[in-house]
Amino acid sequence: MSKVTLSTLRRYKEEKKKFGTITAYDAAFAHLFDECGVPALLVGDSLGMVMQGRESTVGVTIDDVVYHTGCVARAVTGALVIADMPFMTYDTPEVACRNAARLMQAGASVVKIEGGVWLIPVIERLLQNGVPVCAHIGLTPQFVNVFGGYKIQGRSESQAQQMVETALKLQDAGASLLVIECVPAPLAEEVANRLDIPVIGIGAGNKTDGQILVMHDAFGITPGHTPKFARNFLKETGDFHKAVELYLAEVANGNFPNESQSFF
Ligand code: KIV
């Protein structure tokens, strides 16, 4: 696969070509996803749950994500590597730059940060220093203790309106990508339609520009609770490569996620 960049993902959006992305934490799966042509891999702080057995992402450290980013980045030739900045590693622009440098030097090409308009100075400073940012809104798992659990966000009219405005402001600040998690499908569709940057959904219906899945949710091996938006592509195909190819095809043709895997 030729090298995927942010321009590739922007072109996919312009061409209305829906794309699937997936999390990766190690070299073996990163290599397999790359071989299958997955355009972008996220070294998610979900590693706290699926690799470390934690109950949330709050305990994940920058050292953890640096380590897994290196494992993934060394194994891919084409996929864009996005690395999550963990809990409290981007609370000021200075702290964010120091930690983002470590992720970029480990092989990431983009960093992802969770939150709202208070991230604007962080996004601006990262960009000024050569670090592209993927913003993450909706159900942002690092805020689980503030939300009081993993709850669907943006259900009321005012919350939905505020989320659209937040997305526009994060884009204006310089975010290159946006992840939107666990919101009603029509809200995610509106965000994707209003933004010029690619919007990648998870638990957000099938009208976003791209999808992201935690790899364990795609293979039916999630430790603990399996989310409603998961689909076991491995069970359907019996083979890792075929499972990933089916995932990519089902995202591209709009069949994944379907209505029962979405929130309204
Ligand atoms: O950490 C992660 O895997 C994520 C995805 C669920 C988007 O943030």
Side-chain angles (χ1 to χ4, degrees):
M1 181 171 53
S2 59
K3 193 82 198 138
V4 174
T5 65
L6 286 169
S7 313
T8 318
L9 301 185
R10 272 195 295 267
R11 180 164 47 78
Y12 289 168
K13 177 166 179 131
E14 280 159 21
E15 292 171 353
K16 301 197 185 317
K17 180 176 161 183
K18 292 192 187 305
F19 57 91
T21 68
I22 197 161
T23 65
Y25 316 94
D26 67 25
F29 277 109
H31 178 69
L32 186 148
F33 297 147
D34 195 56
E35 272 185 339
C36 294
V38 181
L41 301 181
L42 170 68
V43 186
D45 60 357
S46 50
L47 70 86
M49 280 92 114
V50 298
M51 307 296 290
Q52 299 175 332
R54 298 180 190 275
E55 284 191 355
S56 81
T57 59
V58 171
V60 176
T61 67
I62 191 72
D63 287 344
D64 294 334
V65 186
V66 166
Y67 170 78
H68 287 281
T69 299
C71 298
V72 167
R74 286 188 288 273
V76 303
T77 56
L80 181 77
V81 177
I82 305 170
D84 248 337
M85 300 200 67
F87 183 69
M88 289 292 278
T89 62
Y90 51 96
D91 57 319
T92 68
E94 292 72 26
V95 171
C97 283
R98 208 165 41 245
N99 287 314
R102 295 191 59 202
L103 296 174
M104 299 295 278
Q105 286 165 348
S109 296
V110 179
V111 300
K112 179 165 82 58
I113 56 180
E114 298 181 6
V117 290
W118 59 90
L119 293 177
I120 288 171
V122 172
I123 294 171
E124 287 172 345
R125 187 75 68 84
L126 286 170
L127 207 53
Q128 281 159 9
N129 284 281
V131 180
V133 175
C134 173
H136 182 163
I137 62 170
L139 172 51
T140 44
Q142 290 172 18
F143 291 74
V144 62
N145 293 301
V146 176
F147 293 148
Y150 295 98
K151 297 178 180 159
I152 310 309
Q153 301 295 305
R155 281 221 196 262
S156 74
E157 185 57 39
S158 66
Q159 279 179 351
Q161 187 55 38
Q162 197 183 7
M163 210 178 291
V164 173
E165 281 162 21
T166 297
L168 286 165
K169 286 180 184 158
L170 296 174
Q171 171 178 267
D172 289 349
S176 299
L177 299 171
L178 182 83
V179 165
I180 187 163
E181 177 165 355
C182 288
V183 302
L187 171 57
E189 180 176 7
E190 183 179 352
V191 170
N193 289 342
R194 298 276 298 273
L195 265 59
D196 298 323
I197 59 173
V199 174
I200 301 172
I202 173 163
N206 62 5
K207 297 291 195 295
T208 51
D209 307 303
Q211 297 289 331
I212 175 98
L213 259 191
V214 170
M215 55 166 274
H216 298 68
D217 290 343
F219 296 148
I221 52 168
T222 313
H225 170 73
T226 300
K228 169 186 161 103
F229 50 79
R231 175 168 156 189
N232 188 343
F233 293 94
L234 184 59
K235 192 173 175 192
E236 290 175 48
T237 56
D239 174 274
F240 282 117
H241 281 88
K242 287 190 183 133
V244 176
E245 282 156 12
L246 179 63
Y247 165 59
L248 293 177
E250 290 286 81
V251 170
N253 64 27
N255 286 341
F256 179 79
N258 64 20
E259 285 207 356
S260 66
Q261 292 151 343
S262 307
F263 303 102
F264 290 90

